[in-house]
Amino acid sequence: MGVTISDIAKRAKVSSTTVSRVLNDSGYVKEETRLKVMKAIKEMNYTPSAIARSLSKSETNTIGVIVPDITNSYFGEIIKGISEIAEHNNLNIVLFNTDNSLEKELKAMKSAKEQRIEGIIMTPGFGEGRFNSDYVKIINNLNIPIVLVSADIKFINLNGVFVDNIKGGFDATNLLIKEGHTKIGILTGLLSSDPVIDRLAGYKKALQENNIEVLEEYIFNGEFKFSKSFEITKEILKMKNPPTALVVCSNMMTMGVVRALTESNKKIPQDLSIIGFDKLQYLDMVGLNITYIEDSPIKLGQSSMEMLCNIINDKSKHSIRRITIAPKIICKGSEKKNRQNV
Amino acid sequence: MGVTISDIAKRAKVSSTTVSRVLNDSGYVKEETRLKVMKAIKEMNYTPSAIARSLSKSETNTIGVIVPDITNSYFGEIIKGISEIAEHNNLNIVLFNTDNSLEKELKAMKSAKEQRIEGIIMTPGFGEGRFNSDYVKIINNLNIPIVLVSADIKFINLNGVFVDNIKGGFDATNLLIKEGHTKIGILTGLLSSDPVIDRLAGYKKALQENNIEVLEEYIFNGEFKFSKSFEITKEILKMKNPPTALVVCSNMMTMGVVRALTESNKKIPQDLSIIGFDKLQYLDMVGLNITYIEDSPIKLGQSSMEMLCNIINDKSKHSIRRITIAPKIICKGSEKKNRQNV
C-alpha cells in the first residue's frame, strides 16, 4: 500500500517518532517541524493507517453487528438506525449475517473478538432450546461489550433493547374494544416464542380491564404460517358465534387471513376487523388497508447503538442495561366496527 | 485488552519472536517449544489480535461494502450474496450505508481507504449528473480494487457486475408476443436512467424482430412513480385503441397499474396483461399474481465478491473486468392473453 511513516520521515528529514507525534497529535513538535511533516504527507499522498493508529491507541473504532437475516428489511432498518448513530461517533460497522445458524453466530462473535472490535450489537437467531446456559457463558466469556437488539429472549441477563410486546397486544385489543368490538379473537404463533406469549398476555389484560370474558375458543394458533392462518380463518367464517375482530400476531399470518377473506368474498372490516403485527409493504397500495402494530426497527437500532456507546465509554461494566421500547399503532381502517352489526 | 505477545513469551520462557513464529506458523520452532507456547496461550486465554497480524502481513482480510439503502431488501440480498463468498474466503465486511448521499459515499470510500481495506464493492447512489469525470477520478485515485454492483451506470471504465436490462426488456416483450399480444405498451421511468433506456431498447428490439410496429402512443413515462402510473393506467382504459398488454419498468409503477385496474373493476390479465420488473412481495399471497423480471440480487452479490477476490489475488490490475448477468422471468399468469379477445 505504498507510503510508510519512515518514507515520510526521510522526505521531511525528521525521525519516524516525530512523524508519529504529528500524526497522533501527541508529544511536543516544533511548529516549523510540524509544517515540514504535513507538507511531506501531502506531497506523498499519504493516508494514515487506521490499523497503525488502532494498535498504538488500542482502539479500532469498529463495532460488530450480527443479524440473522440481512435480506429481511426489518434488519435493514435496524442497521440503518445503528449506522446513523455510529457515524456520529466515528465508528465503523463490521457486518455478520448468520442465516439464523447458531454455528455462524458463534463464529461471528469469535471473529469480532479477533478483530479487537469494541463492542457487538446482535439479534440472536431464533429456535427452541437455543438460549441455554452454555450460550450465555460463551457471550460472557467474550469479554466484549454486547447489546442485544429486538431479541426474542428476555430471561437472559444481558444488555439489550427490547420491544414491549405486552403493550403491543394490549394496544391492539384495546383499540378494537374502543371501536365497539366485544367478540375479539387472537391468532397467535408458536407459544414457545416470547413475543407471542407477551402479545397474548397484553390481549388478555385489555379484555379483563374492560370486563370482557377471555374465551378459549377465540384464541387460535396460526403457528406463524400463512397456510395455517388461511385454514383457521375459513373455520372462523363457519363458526356459529364468530369473533367480529381478530388480532393477528405476525404479518405472514395476516396475509393468510386476508387471502381467506378475499377468496370467500368477505370484506375487511365489514365482515371481520383486523389488526396485524409488523408492516405489510404494498398492501395498502392495492387497496387493502390493514392496521398494524409496528416495532420501529430504526429506533431499536439507534437505541442499541447509543447503549453500546455508553457502555464502551463507561468502563465500569458491572450493571446490566435494558431498555424496552413501546411499539406504535399505524391505523389504516381495518380495525373499524361495521356499524350495521352494532 | 490484556494479554500481549510479550506476556506469553515471559510465561513460556521464550522470546517474543518465538511466540510470533508459533502464532504465524512461520520460521522454525522446536516442537517442544511450540507446545510450551501453546500451553501459555491457552492458560492466559489469549486471542491473537487480527490487527497485529494484519500489520505484520499488511493484509486486513476486510473488504468494504457501500450501498445506498440498507432498508431495501434488494441490497440485503446483494449483501447476502457477498457475505456467502466472503465467508469462504475468510474476509470480513465493513458496511457503509449512504442514504443515497454522494457526500456519504465519498466519505465511506475515504474511510475504507484509511482502514486499509483490501477492496470495495459498491452500488453508487443514483441521481443525474453524478457520474462525472471528477467522480471517476476520485475512485481511481483511491488506489484500492473496486467493483461496482448493479450500478445504474455503464459508461464508466470501472470493474463491475451489471444487469442485462436490454435482455430484460426484450424477454418481457417477447413473452407477451408469444402469448399472442400484438398491441403491447411500455411504462418507462425517467429516460435519464440507464436501466430504463436499456429496457426500452429491448422492448423495441422484440417488437421489430417480430415485425410489430413501434407506436409512440404506446410508450408511456410513469416517472417511476405510483401516482403517475395510476393516472396513466386510467388514461389507457379510456383509449380508443388501447394496448392489451403492458411492460412496466419498476415495481412501484406496477403497484400503480394494479391499483388503477382493481379500482376500475378491471381484471388482470383479462382486461390488461402485465409484466413488471422486480419482485413484488406478498402480492401473490392476496391473489394478485403478477409476472415479473427479476435481477437475482443474491447472484449479483456473489459474482461481485468473486470478481473482487480475483482482482485482489491477481495483482496485475490493468485490465477492467465486467460481467453482465441476465435477469430471469418469474411467470405468475398476468402475461396471459385473454382468449376471448384473440
Side-chain angles (χ1 to χ4, degrees):
Chain A
M1 300 269 169
V3 184
T4 65
I5 288 182
S6 85
D7 296 333
I8 306 277
K10 271 183 210 153
R11 184 169 193 118
K13 293 180 185 138
V14 299
S15 70
S16 292
T17 311
T18 304
V19 177
S20 287
R21 279 182 179 168
V22 172
L23 285 172
N24 294 316
D25 205 12
S26 67
Y28 174 71
V29 181
K30 261 198 287 189
E31 183 58 18
E32 194 194 326
T33 312
R34 202 183 67 80
L35 290 175
K36 261 203 307 194
V37 172
M38 291 307 287
K39 191 164 163 259
I41 286 172
K42 213 172 166 186
E43 282 166 3
M44 300 185 81
N45 194 21
Y46 173 77
T47 308
S49 162
I51 295 166
R53 275 207 307 264
S54 77
L55 253 195
S56 69
K57 295 191 195 170
S58 93
E59 277 172 13
T60 57
N61 284 334
T62 300
I63 62 138
V65 174
I66 305 176
V67 296
D69 180 10
I70 187 69
T71 70
N72 184 333
S73 60
Y74 180 83
F75 294 109
E77 295 198 10
I78 285 182
I79 293 171
K80 185 184 165 77
I82 292 173
S83 62
E84 279 171 16
I85 307 297
E87 215 188 307
H88 288 150
N89 291 278
N90 283 317
L91 291 165
N92 284 306
I93 291 171
V94 175
L95 178 72
F96 301 91
N97 180 44
T98 66
D99 292 321
N100 203 36
S101 138
L102 179 58
E103 195 196 329
K104 285 196 189 175
E105 202 172 297
L106 297 173
K107 199 177 152 201
M109 286 191 255
K110 191 168 162 268
S111 174
K113 168 131 189 168
E114 281 192 12
Q115 301 287 320
R116 297 278 196 241
I117 269 169
E118 303 195 35
I120 293 173
I121 297 175
M122 174 167 80
T123 305
F126 40 89
E128 273 186 88
R130 183 165 191 158
F131 304 108
N132 50 30
S133 54
D134 280 352
Y135 185 85
V136 179
K137 217 191 231 167
I138 288 169
I139 291 182
N140 283 329
N141 281 347
L142 272 181
N143 215 7
I144 298 179
I146 189 159
V147 172
L148 301 183
V149 61
S150 194
D152 272 11
I153 36 168
K154 294 181 304 172
F155 61 89
I156 295 184
N157 210 18
L158 293 169
N159 306 302
V161 179
F162 301 90
V163 177
D164 189 346
N165 282 300
I166 296 180
K167 184 163 163 51
F170 181 91
D171 286 352
T173 312
N174 206 42
L175 179 57
L176 291 168
I177 294 169
K178 279 191 183 150
E179 285 292 328
H181 290 282
T182 54
K183 295 191 281 180
I184 301 167
I186 186 166
L187 192 51
T188 71
L190 297 169
L191 290 171
S192 56
S193 142
D194 268 4
V196 166
I197 293 167
D198 286 353
R199 285 166 190 174
L200 182 59
Y203 160 84
K204 288 181 177 172
K205 192 174 161 223
L207 292 181
Q208 282 156 354
E209 282 192 7
N210 288 278
N211 300 314
I212 299 172
E213 198 186 347
V214 175
L215 297 173
E216 281 306 315
E217 62 261 41
Y218 281 176
I219 301 176
F220 308 93
N221 184 351
E223 298 170 9
F224 284 134
K225 288 183 188 146
F226 174 82
S227 55
K228 184 78 187 169
S229 317
F230 179 85
E231 284 165 29
I232 287 172
T233 309
K234 292 265 177 173
E235 291 301 319
I236 289 176
L237 293 174
K238 288 184 207 153
M239 280 172 78
K240 269 195 179 169
N241 186 25
T244 60
L246 206 53
V247 175
V248 188
C249 288
S250 86
N251 52 6
M252 270 304 134
M253 294 197 293
T254 303
M255 300 304 299
V257 174
V258 169
R259 179 66 182 271
L261 291 173
T262 51
E263 223 185 72
S264 311
N265 287 315
K266 298 291 180 186
K267 290 221 159 114
I268 303 166
Q270 289 83 342
D271 295 302
L272 189 64
S273 301
I274 295 177
I275 297 184
F277 273 84
D278 306 329
K279 185 158 49 176
L280 283 163
Q281 244 180 331
Y282 305 139
L283 267 205
D284 46 350
M285 287 193 169
V286 292
L288 287 165
N289 298 295
I290 309 294
T291 295
Y292 60 92
I293 307 281
E294 194 190 39
D295 271 7
S296 324
I298 291 182
K299 203 170 160 198
L300 288 169
Q302 292 168 334
S303 298
S304 62
M305 188 67 236
E306 281 162 2
M307 183 182 279
L308 185 58
C309 283
N310 289 337
I311 294 172
I312 291 171
N313 293 332
D314 169 14
K315 302 290 181 192
S316 65
K317 281 161 206 150
H318 299 299
S319 61
I320 298 293
R321 292 164 208 240
R322 298 168 76 87
I323 296 176
T324 304
I325 291 185
K328 291 181 297 187
I329 288 197
I330 313 295
C331 284
K332 298 270 183 174
S334 69
E335 77 285 4
K336 299 280 178 214
K337 178 142 175 56
N338 178 12
R339 294 181 176 275
Q340 290 150 1
N341 289 348
V342 172
Chain B
M1 299 270 169
V3 184
T4 65
I5 288 182
S6 86
D7 296 333
I8 306 278
K10 269 184 211 152
R11 184 169 192 119
K13 291 179 187 138
V14 298
S15 71
S16 291
T17 311
T18 305
V19 176
S20 287
R21 281 182 177 169
V22 172
L23 285 172
N24 292 318
D25 206 12
S26 70
Y28 174 71
V29 181
K30 261 198 286 188
E31 183 59 17
E32 192 194 327
T33 313
R34 202 184 66 80
L35 290 175
K36 262 203 307 195
V37 171
M38 292 307 285
K39 189 162 164 261
I41 286 171
K42 212 169 166 188
E43 282 167 2
M44 300 184 81
N45 194 21
Y46 173 77
T47 308
S49 162
I51 295 165
R53 276 206 307 263
S54 78
L55 253 194
S56 68
K57 297 190 195 172
S58 92
E59 279 172 11
T60 57
N61 285 332
T62 300
I63 62 137
V65 174
I66 305 177
V67 296
D69 180 8
I70 186 68
T71 70
N72 184 333
S73 61
Y74 180 84
F75 294 109
E77 295 199 10
I78 285 182
I79 294 172
K80 184 185 165 76
I82 292 173
S83 62
E84 278 170 18
I85 306 298
E87 215 190 307
H88 288 151
N89 292 278
N90 284 318
L91 292 166
N92 285 305
I93 292 170
V94 175
L95 178 74
F96 301 91
N97 180 44
T98 66
D99 293 321
N100 202 37
S101 138
L102 179 59
E103 195 197 329
K104 285 195 188 178
E105 203 172 295
L106 297 173
K107 200 177 153 200
M109 287 190 254
K110 189 165 163 271
S111 174
K113 168 134 188 164
E114 282 192 10
Q115 301 286 319
R116 296 278 196 244
I117 269 169
E118 303 195 34
I120 292 174
I121 297 175
M122 174 166 82
T123 304
F126 40 88
E128 274 186 88
R130 182 163 189 160
F131 304 109
N132 51 30
S133 55
D134 281 350
Y135 185 85
V136 179
K137 215 191 234 169
I138 288 169
I139 290 183
N140 283 328
N141 281 347
L142 272 182
N143 214 7
I144 297 179
I146 189 159
V147 172
L148 301 183
V149 61
S150 193
D152 272 11
I153 36 168
K154 294 180 306 173
F155 61 88
I156 296 186
N157 209 18
L158 292 169
N159 306 301
V161 179
F162 301 90
V163 177
D164 189 346
N165 282 301
I166 296 181
K167 185 164 162 50
F170 182 89
D171 286 353
T173 312
N174 207 41
L175 178 58
L176 291 168
I177 294 169
K178 279 193 182 149
E179 286 291 327
H181 291 282
T182 54
K183 297 191 279 181
I184 301 168
I186 185 166
L187 192 51
T188 71
L190 298 170
L191 290 171
S192 57
S193 144
D194 268 4
V196 165
I197 292 167
D198 286 353
R199 285 166 191 174
L200 182 59
Y203 160 85
K204 287 180 177 173
K205 192 174 162 224
L207 292 181
Q208 283 156 355
E209 282 192 8
N210 287 277
N211 300 312
I212 299 172
E213 197 186 348
V214 176
L215 298 173
E216 281 306 314
E217 62 261 41
Y218 282 177
I219 300 175
F220 308 93
N221 185 350
E223 297 170 10
F224 285 133
K225 286 182 190 148
F226 174 83
S227 55
K228 184 79 186 168
S229 318
F230 179 86
E231 284 164 29
I232 287 173
T233 308
K234 293 262 179 177
E235 292 302 318
I236 289 176
L237 292 175
K238 286 184 210 153
M239 280 171 80
K240 270 197 179 168
N241 185 25
T244 61
L246 207 53
V247 175
V248 188
C249 288
S250 85
N251 53 5
M252 268 307 133
M253 294 196 294
T254 303
M255 300 303 301
V257 175
V258 168
R259 180 64 183 273
L261 291 173
T262 51
E263 223 185 73
S264 311
N265 287 317
K266 299 291 180 189
K267 289 224 159 110
I268 304 165
Q270 287 84 344
D271 295 302
L272 189 65
S273 301
I274 295 177
I275 298 185
F277 273 84
D278 307 330
K279 185 158 51 178
L280 283 163
Q281 246 179 331
Y282 305 139
L283 267 206
D284 46 351
M285 285 194 170
V286 290
L288 287 165
N289 297 294
I290 309 294
T291 295
Y292 60 92
I293 308 280
E294 195 191 37
D295 272 6
S296 323
I298 290 183
K299 204 172 159 195
L300 289 169
Q302 292 168 335
S303 298
S304 63
M305 188 66 237
E306 280 162 3
M307 183 182 280
L308 185 58
C309 284
N310 290 338
I311 295 171
I312 292 172
N313 293 331
D314 168 17
K315 302 291 181 192
S316 66
K317 280 161 209 150
H318 299 300
S319 61
I320 298 293
R321 294 164 207 240
R322 297 167 78 87
I323 296 176
T324 305
I325 291 184
K328 291 179 299 187
I329 288 198
I330 312 294
C331 284
K332 299 269 186 177
S334 70
E335 77 284 5
K336 299 281 177 214
K337 178 141 173 58
N338 179 12
R339 293 180 177 275
Q340 291 149 359
N341 289 349
V342 173

